[in-house]
Structure formats: structure tokens, C-alpha cells
Amino acid sequence: MNDPEYATFIAEDLYDEILKKNHNSLAQMLDKLRILKSYSFNKFTINAIQEINDNQFIINVLCRSKENGFRSTAETHFYDLDFKVSFDFEKNNILFYSGPNYELSEKNIKTEFANTFFAELTKGL
């Protein structure tokens, strides 16, 4: 995803707000995000980060999740997810957007990623 035009195209479909958090250290969070290339934490692996403009990024994430399936057998599911992360410096907000959610499990995974990634960005701030 080293194509800003393609990232801008993807960003148009990422309009469903997943998370909105207020934080006083947005500039430091933005600096941390700019230096990340690939990163793994918990069940998430960031495959690519593309800057769209000074305050917006597209993040592609792979999630590996084990869920109980039929008859309580664990099934592994893979989710290939795109997020738009926006920094609103006027209101000190960071916002996470994704595409529409069609399944509750996918919505939960997206929310979990946004909360977990926010925690990672704010470590030490």
C-alpha cells in the first residue's frame, strides 16, 4: 500500500466510526504512528500504514481470532481489515473509522483493534 491515491480511494469507504478518544498528546501519537511500518500485538498484525495527509492514515490489519464454533469446537478466523485513523487537533480527538459491519463478531474485532491500538499509541505518554 505505497500508493497515496489508492489509500485515498480506500478511505472513501471507511466512514463507520469505530472509536473516538480524547487525548492531550496527539502530536506524540502521530509521531509514533508515522514511524510504525509493521507491528504485531495480541492477535493483530499491522501489514501496512499509508499516510493520506498530515492528519489521516490508512492502516491494513490482519487479525487471527479463535472462536467457538458449532459444538464448542474452536475455529480460527482471519480478518483482513482496513481502518482510517484521523487526528483532530482542534478537539484533541483521535478517530478510528472502518467499513460497514455486517456481522457482530467483525464489529467486535474492529472495536477491539481500535481500543488496543489506541492503548499502544498512548503507552508512555
Side-chain angles (χ1 to χ4, degrees):
M1 192 190 302
N2 288 329
D3 185 351
E5 286 182 31
Y6 182 65
T8 302
F9 175 74
I10 290 173
E12 293 174 7
D13 291 334
L14 305 176
Y15 53 82
D16 189 18
E17 186 178 296
I18 299 294
L19 181 71
K20 179 180 180 180
K21 293 272 193 173
N22 188 275
H23 202 278
N24 292 331
S25 300
L26 287 186
Q28 291 90 343
M29 292 169 62
L30 183 63
D31 290 341
K32 276 183 153 180
L33 184 57
R34 281 192 171 121
I35 62 171
L36 289 176
K37 298 297 180 213
S38 61
Y39 189 71
S40 293
F41 53 95
N42 298 344
K43 58 186 169 188
F44 302 104
T45 301
I46 295 176
N47 294 321
I49 298 174
Q50 176 66 52
E51 188 169 351
I52 299 173
N53 58 45
D54 290 339
N55 300 330
Q56 283 191 332
F57 295 80
I58 297 294
I59 301 175
N60 177 259
V61 177
L62 179 65
C63 173
R64 182 178 179 191
S65 177
K66 288 193 178 202
E67 299 170 8
N68 286 334
F70 185 66
R71 296 187 182 140
S72 298
T73 58
E75 296 178 9
T76 301
H77 296 272
F78 292 92
Y79 297 90
D80 185 12
L81 306 169
D82 290 315
F83 294 88
K84 177 171 58 179
V85 179
S86 296
F87 292 83
D88 181 349
F89 286 97
E90 290 180 16
K91 297 179 182 175
N92 282 335
N93 288 328
I94 183 172
L95 298 104
F96 289 78
Y97 298 93
S98 189
N101 300 306
Y102 299 108
E103 295 179 15
L104 182 59
S105 61
E106 186 175 328
K107 181 177 180 164
N108 291 338
I109 292 288
K110 290 176 180 180
T111 303
E112 182 181 354
F113 169 78
N115 280 304
T116 304
F117 192 59
F118 176 79
E120 290 291 318
L121 286 176
T122 57
K123 271 186 186 174
L125 300 181

